[in-house]
Amino acid sequence: MSTLNADPNCIFCKIIAGQIPSRKVYEDDDVFAFHDIHPWAPVHFLIIPKRHIPSMAQVGAADQALLGKIMMLVPQLALEQGCEPYPQGGYRLVTNTGEQGGQEVHHLHFHVMGGPRPWLRG
Ligand code: AMP
Ligand code: ZN
């Protein structure tokens, strides 16, 4: 089961475990998605692997299928959550990595941001 590698000090592991509430967007055996608590855009949610991977810096060949699944989910969930269709609509996909990359939560996550502009940030 993919939650075996949970980090007890990780806020996103706690969200996956239901120990911290979140507004869930999607869940399967490997992946969890939920709304960002401080949205930058009308649509702003995070897609995360259930397994605690700190960042893109730790991703390896064994994670190809997991990352592929997440990438396939992006367009589906974006439309389901209210992003407008490409090309007039669309969304921004962001993964901050490390301190200089602006990463604050060290559990790999993909921001999906979209909806009509102007946005708060980004
Ligand atoms: P990053 O800077 O890429 O690590 O982004 C972390 C994101 O997690 C930020 O956009 C936060 O608003 C978001 N965040 C932090 N805590 C929570 C939470 N409890 N529920 C939902 N989103 C959160
Ligand atoms: Zn974690």
Side-chain angles (χ1 to χ4, degrees):
M1 180 60 183
S2 43
T3 49
L4 278 179
N5 292 334
D7 176 339
N9 299 315
C10 171
I11 185 171
F12 286 178
C13 285
K14 289 179 184 173
I15 284 176
I16 293 163
Q19 294 162 354
I20 292 177
S22 70
R23 289 173 55 219
K24 184 164 81 174
V25 164
Y26 174 86
E27 180 174 16
D28 65 29
D29 284 348
D30 309 306
V31 177
F32 195 87
F34 56 102
H35 291 281
D36 197 292
I37 202 164
H38 296 304
W40 292 13
V43 177
H44 186 173
F45 62 94
L46 306 174
I47 310 180
I48 67 177
K50 284 190 170 177
R51 186 157 63 81
H52 181 84
I53 302 171
S55 79
M56 284 300 290
Q58 287 76 30
V59 160
D63 303 310
Q64 275 189 65
L66 175 63
L67 293 180
K69 182 187 231 184
I70 290 172
M71 289 301 107
M72 290 298 292
L73 281 166
V74 169
Q76 174 197 324
L77 298 182
L79 289 178
E80 285 177 11
Q81 292 306 314
C83 294
E84 294 169 22
Y86 174 92
Q88 289 83 7
Y91 43 84
R92 179 171 290 178
L93 178 63
V94 172
T95 301
N96 300 321
T97 305
E99 301 298 333
Q100 292 179 349
Q103 184 178 9
E104 292 178 359
V105 177
H106 289 260
H107 180 130
L108 177 62
H109 54 279
F110 297 85
H111 295 257
V112 181
M113 293 166 277
R117 287 180 180 271
W119 295 357
L120 192 60
R121 293 171 72 186

